[in-house]
Amino acid sequence: MPVTVPLDASTWPLFAELAERDNGVYGGCWCTAYHGDCRPPGLDRRAFKEQLVRTGRAHAALVLDGDGAARGWCQFGSAEELPNIKHGRVYRQEPPPRPDWRITCVYVEPRQRGRGFARAALAGALDLLAGAGGGLVEALPETVDGRTAQGRFLFSGTVELFEEHGFARVRQVGKHAWIVHRRLPPSR
């Protein structure tokens, strides 16, 4: 049964080990692409991500398997923390209400896909967001109904996964991409 924990300084080694198993994730991204252009010159993506995590400017629900190994994560943050989005040009043509939170990446290591880790990651992220006060949560996932999609192109999750967690489609912004929203109440 997967367990989620927040990505922070204490769980950074688990995140780093997972990212290193997959060559820094998607060829070395280290889940930094959505953070914008704030990476200091000369700082590689791994060091940049670690700096963001240790200073509380990068957030994720990290998913652990029964042995305590990290198998995936769901990255989230404010729109200010994660200003880069997929399909940004189309998104900005008719911007939806500004979200309190944005989910940008749902990652599961390739050989572990199809085992519930993405669901656990998204559920864990929503629990953490509710604990942080809730509010309007936005994502830009891709729909897979009626088509075959390679997992490496679904790094923002699937519309169907988000709908299982109470999200509603707002507007289509790409051939298969949608803005989805959910109003999340704060947890007690």
Side-chain angles (χ1 to χ4, degrees):
M1 179 87 177
V3 174
T4 58
V5 295
L7 174 60
D8 59 22
S10 70
T11 59
W12 168 259
L14 295 170
F15 176 89
E17 180 182 305
L18 170 57
E20 287 167 354
R21 281 196 306 266
D22 193 18
N23 191 29
V25 181
Y26 301 116
C29 172
W30 279 88
C31 210
T32 61
Y34 293 109
H35 286 284
D37 299 327
C38 59
R39 182 166 49 114
L43 192 62
D44 69 22
R45 287 186 179 103
R46 182 193 192 284
F48 176 54
K49 185 67 172 194
E50 183 173 7
Q51 182 183 74
L52 291 171
V53 168
R54 292 189 184 280
T55 58
R57 296 178 294 146
H59 313 282
L62 191 59
V63 183
L64 310 179
D65 67 12
D67 295 325
R71 298 299 181 190
W73 66 77
C74 180
Q75 176 176 259
F76 61 87
S78 68
E80 292 78 23
E81 289 174 331
L82 300 168
N84 287 354
I85 55 174
K86 283 175 44 177
H87 307 286
R89 184 182 54 77
V90 176
Y91 177 98
R92 287 185 288 280
Q93 287 174 354
E94 294 177 46
R98 187 161 181 83
D100 299 299
W101 301 102
R102 182 173 281 155
I103 294 174
T104 56
C105 187
V106 180
Y107 175 80
V108 174
E109 71 178 305
R111 65 183 174 275
Q112 299 297 328
R113 293 179 181 154
R115 297 181 182 182
F117 290 117
R119 281 180 181 77
L122 180 54
L126 293 173
D127 286 346
L128 291 169
L129 290 171
L136 183 61
V137 183
E138 172 182 272
L140 283 96
E142 300 232 352
T143 186
V144 293
D145 272 347
R147 73 182 184 107
T148 301
Q150 297 230 357
R152 69 177 181 262
F153 298 117
L154 300 175
F155 53 86
S156 56
T158 67
V159 170
E160 295 78 12
L161 173 64
F162 280 86
E163 287 175 336
E164 286 175 19
H165 285 84
F167 284 77
R169 297 178 196 205
V170 174
R171 181 167 68 86
Q172 192 168 1
V173 291
K175 184 174 181 181
H176 303 289
W178 286 80
I179 300 167
V180 296
H181 280 175
R182 177 179 172 187
R183 176 88 37 203
L184 188 65
S187 62
R188 297 174 197 240

